């Protein structure tokens, strides 16, 4: 079973929170796949990652760029994992029926949107019922604070 971390965004957007999380993923020697709600969101996150200042460079790609097996971070609106990623990032409330195929799953949701929060609670319940290890992270003024399980 995977460890699924629910990341409750309270002060930044997904585009602002992802670079640090993805940077740590690459530092740990892991590959990531980031699943978005649709192709427009893939394009928006692609552009945001290229503009990220810290870390300075996040090598990534998508179907539009190709070379999936070579990409340390793969952006997609589907279920494809061409880069052999062991870390999965979910945004836009994307569900993950194949979480067990990953070492870690990062579910990022907007804490300022009551519908996003309610949807995340539903995903938490389903993940707990499936037997995954769950961790809750709340964005603080500086960094993240781990909450109860």
């Amino acid at each position: 079973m995977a460890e699924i971390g629910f990341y409750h965004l309270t002060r930044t957007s997904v585009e602002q929170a992802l670079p640090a999380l993805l940077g740590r993923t690459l530092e740990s020697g892991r590959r990531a796949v980031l699943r978005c709600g649709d192709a427009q969101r893939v394009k928006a996150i692609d552009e945001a990652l290229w503009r990220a200042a810290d870390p300075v460079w996040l090598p990534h790609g998508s179907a539009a760029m190709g070379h999936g097996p070579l990409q340390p971070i793969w952006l997609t609106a589907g279920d494809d994992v061409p880069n052999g990623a062991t870390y999965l990032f979910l945004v836009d409330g994307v569900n993950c029926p194949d979480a067990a195929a990953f070492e870690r799953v990062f579910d990022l949701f907007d804490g300022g949107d009551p519908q996003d929060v309610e949807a995340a609670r539903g995903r938490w319940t389903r993940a707990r019922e499936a037997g995954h290890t769950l961790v809750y992270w709340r964005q603080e003024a500086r960094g993240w604070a781990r909450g109860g399980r």
Side-chain angles (χ1 to χ4, degrees):
M1 289 289 135
E3 176 184 294
I4 303 177
F6 285 81
Y7 288 75
H8 188 155
L9 300 172
T10 60
R11 61 179 178 79
T12 65
S13 68
V14 166
E15 291 86 353
Q16 293 167 317
L18 278 170
L21 295 169
L22 290 169
R24 285 189 210 115
T25 296
L26 296 181
E27 286 173 6
S28 72
R30 301 298 198 280
R31 288 176 166 239
V33 63
L34 191 150
R35 291 184 182 162
C36 303
D38 58 40
Q40 288 178 329
R41 185 71 155 151
V42 169
K43 186 175 181 343
I45 290 179
D46 169 49
E47 292 170 0
L49 294 180
W50 287 126
R51 289 189 310 267
D54 187 23
V56 174
W57 188 58
L58 286 168
H60 65 278
S62 67
M65 296 167 216
H67 308 288
L70 302 176
Q71 303 293 348
I73 300 168
W74 183 251
L75 311 179
T76 183
D79 295 336
D80 51 320
V81 187
N83 63 347
T86 57
Y87 282 17
L88 171 64
F89 287 77
L90 304 170
V91 298
D92 306 329
V94 171
N95 287 307
C96 180
D98 60 342
F102 296 91
E103 184 180 329
R104 289 187 65 188
V105 177
F106 301 74
D107 186 319
L108 286 75
F109 64 96
D110 181 354
D113 183 330
Q115 289 179 324
D116 277 3
V117 172
E118 190 59 34
R121 286 183 180 134
R123 293 190 303 275
W124 174 282
T125 300
R126 288 188 298 279
R128 183 182 62 223
E129 290 170 353
H132 296 288
T133 300
L134 305 180
V135 181
Y136 171 78
W137 294 95
R138 181 177 176 86
Q139 200 173 36
E140 299 291 328
R142 300 190 105 201
W144 297 90
R146 186 175 176 155
R149 290 180 186 238

